Every structure is written in structure tokens, then in C-alpha cells.
Amino acid sequence: MMWNRTVGVLVFILVLGACNRGPKAPDVRHVKVDFELVPFYRELFALSPDSLEAALPELKERYGSYLEAYSVGVIGGSAPGEPEFADDLRFFLSYEPNQEVLDSVELVFGREEWLRQDLEQAFKYYKYYFPEASVPDVYLHLSGFNQSIVMDADWLSVSVEKYLGRDCVFYEWLSIPVYLRKRYAPEKVVPDVMMALAMDRFAYNDSIDDLINQMVYEGQLRHFVRQMIPDIPDSTLFDYSSKEVDWVNAYEKDMWSYMVEQKHLFSTDRMALQRYVGKSPFTYYYGQESPGSTGVWLGYRIVQAYLKRYPETSLEELMRMNNGHEFLRAARYRP
């Protein structure tokens, strides 16, 4: 079968080609950004559960609407104005596993200057491409392993316990599949923040919800992240190992040919879409040697093909294109 052939020199050539990211990243040293990085989890867990009531007025005044969003939307407790709020928060702070997680979080994020610097650099690119955009404050919180990122108009909040490193024992205890743990690394925080901004600013057009539309949209999102973090490795951008990066580069033409021959491109079948762009240990149609989400990678390659034909396209213009059928025709993608 074609997926098992020896790639040899072909891999080497294609990987070298993949290192060419296109035009040089713009100089953003002159761009000014203003945001706060708030280690909310640290201040929250510094409170004593036994004297919580006395500390609540100051906590409410300092964090305002964020505290309500966190209490209700993230940890599933009562709102600050409700009588059960103190008891719910006390339970969360006293829950012993949360204390264990806190210790691990401090090891990774206790000195958050590296994260501040990486966020600032990415936000500089964000302001360069979108000068009118506001840069959100970034909060760090514990969520009990709920959603990785939540956001509002003025802030964005990160569940830091979701980024402790793929070998963190908590993920094994929670029976999180190994293939998903690639996404649980500290270096994924900034890409995920930028991905959240992209998804918020440029929503998916679900009026034509078929495979090619999902592929192009996912490709646009990865291109956006790469513009915000120009030196991001493919392995981090796509959550692949270096071996998996080699695989998709080697079999790009074969994957595309199969997808076209099987008439999957315009499929609206939910199972087919999941098998190509969903999170999975491998891509069902390409065998167990393949990585998962290869449709996302091919979508990114389609975006690259489009930009090669229309290099003058601005990032704003590119991200506003929301018809995958028209985009594919214009890209003339031929791997």
C-alpha cells in the first residue's frame, strides 16, 4: 500500500522545503503593547479557607466581572453576589487535589517572565497586523482541568494546569490519551492564546459546513498563529512529533489524491469530517502510521498555495475569506 513505501531522500528534500516559511517576518520592535499578565490562581489560593469571608470584599473589588465569570463559568460555582458563593469557593480552595496541582503549576509558571515575554512578542505582531485591535489582559487560573482558555471582551484566561508538560502524572491519572498530551505543554500557551484570538475575530462560516470548508478554515487559523509566532516549529503548530511532520511532508500528494479520488472534499458526513480534521491518534483513511488531523495540515498547505499565487493578500483579507470552495479554486493547489 502507498502509505508504507520508503521515503528516504524524498523526506529530506520536502522537510527542507517546509523550512521555508515564506516572506521574512516584519520588524515589530517599534510596536507598543499594553497588557497585564495576572497570576490569579496564586492570589486566590493564598487565601485562607477559614477566613475567606473577610477577604472577599477586596477580592470582589479587585477582580469584578472576571471573578464572576471565573466562579460561574470556569469552576461551576455561585456568583459573587449569591449567598452560597463563599461556601463554593471554600470547597474549591480546600479540595486536596487542587493543592497538589498548585504545587506543579508553581514549578512551571511560578516565574512567569518567560511567558510575559513570549506573549508580548506575539501581541506585537497582533498589533502590527491589526493596529485597531485591543490587546487583552491575560489571567492564569486553575479550572479543575476544564476548558483550556476562556475569554471576554477585555481579558483572556488560561487554565495553567492544562499546560504542565506531556509527561505530567496528572494527565495519566486522568486517563488523557497520550496523543492528546502533546497539546499539554507549556510552549502551547501562547499559540493557544493566539488561536483563541483568531477564532474570536474570524468566526467559522458554518453555512457551508463540509470538509473543504473546515480544512481551509483550520489552515487559515494555523497561518494566523504562524504570523503571530513566526518561529513556531511545525511540530508545535500542528501538535505533531518530528516523525509525524516528516510523514505529512512525504505523503502530501498521496493524501490529497486519495481525498479527491474518494470524493471526500465536499462531504458533509460528520464521521468523515471528524476522521480528517478531528483530534485522533491517526487519520483513519491513511492508516496507523499517519498522524491525526491530516486534513488540518492539508488545509494549511492550501492556504500556502493561495498566498503563493496572491502574495499581496493581507492577513485581514485572507482571514475574511470564508468560502472554502472559492478559496480552493483560487489557490489551484497541486501538491
Side-chain angles (χ1 to χ4, degrees), residues 45-278:
F45 277 85
L47 300 177
S48 171
D50 296 331
S51 56
L52 192 58
E53 282 82 0
L56 288 183
E58 183 179 348
L59 192 70
K60 293 175 183 178
E61 182 178 358
R62 174 167 169 74
Y63 290 105
S65 61
Y66 172 79
L67 180 62
E68 179 168 357
Y70 174 76
S71 302
V72 178
V74 175
I75 63 174
S78 304
E82 297 177 342
E84 300 87 359
F85 174 68
D87 288 338
D88 289 349
L89 190 56
R90 181 181 294 107
F91 174 82
F92 185 73
L93 296 177
S94 303
Y95 187 54
E96 188 173 341
N98 284 340
Q99 291 293 335
E100 295 181 35
V101 171
L102 180 64
D103 293 338
S104 296
V105 165
E106 280 296 311
L107 289 175
V108 177
F109 294 96
R111 296 181 178 179
E112 64 266 2
E113 189 56 34
W114 66 270
L115 179 56
R116 185 186 306 276
Q117 291 176 358
D118 289 354
L119 283 169
E120 180 178 10
Q121 186 68 8
F123 283 147
K124 284 187 174 186
Y125 283 107
Y126 184 59
K127 286 290 286 185
Y128 174 87
Y129 287 109
F130 308 102
E132 81 293 349
S134 60
V135 173
D137 292 329
V138 177
Y139 290 76
L140 307 179
H141 70 259
L142 293 184
S143 67
F145 297 94
N146 287 326
Q147 63 266 45
S148 299
I149 292 179
V150 293
M151 60 188 303
D152 202 345
D154 302 318
W155 54 261
L156 184 150
S157 199
V158 179
S159 296
V160 282
E161 77 271 29
K162 299 289 288 290
Y163 298 95
L164 296 178
R166 62 200 65 186
D167 297 324
C168 179
V169 68
F170 298 132
Y171 307 144
E172 184 175 348
W173 291 350
L174 292 167
S175 299
I176 295 173
V178 173
Y179 74 91
L180 289 179
R181 297 181 204 173
K182 300 173 187 176
R183 298 168 166 82
Y184 285 33
E187 61 267 23
K188 285 293 293 183
V189 172
V190 179
D192 282 0
V193 165
M194 305 318 296
M195 179 77 77
L197 289 178
M199 294 175 70
D200 181 66
R201 187 180 181 93
F202 304 103
Y204 176 62
N205 174 24
D206 60 3
S207 62
I208 316 174
D209 191 19
D210 57 12
L211 179 59
I212 189 58
N213 269 278
Q214 289 199 14
M215 287 172 58
V216 169
Y217 181 67
E218 294 291 343
Q220 289 169 312
L221 292 177
R222 269 62 181 188
H223 176 77
F224 180 99
V225 172
R226 173 148 277 152
Q227 303 320 294
M228 304 302 116
I229 314 172
D231 59 351
I232 187 172
D234 281 351
S235 55
T236 304
L237 184 61
F238 295 99
D239 301 308
Y240 284 168
S241 65
S242 57
K243 183 179 179 180
E244 289 171 333
V245 172
D246 291 347
W247 197 98
V248 291
N249 276 293
Y251 290 112
E252 178 180 3
K253 182 177 180 180
D254 295 324
M255 288 191 293
W256 180 251
S257 297
Y258 180 88
M259 193 179 287
V260 172
E261 289 167 3
Q262 297 298 313
K263 297 181 171 58
H264 287 166
L265 275 180
F266 307 111
S267 172
T268 59
D269 178 71
R270 307 313 301 174
M271 184 63 73
L273 271 56
Q274 171 63 28
R275 286 171 170 173
Y276 278 117
V277 302

Side-chain angles (χ1 to χ4, degrees), residues 34-51:
D34 182 24
F35 74 100
E36 283 191 70
L37 178 61
V38 184
F40 171 74
Y41 73 89
R42 187 176 302 142
E43 182 168 341
L44 184 65
F45 277 85
L47 300 177
S48 171
D50 296 331
S51 56

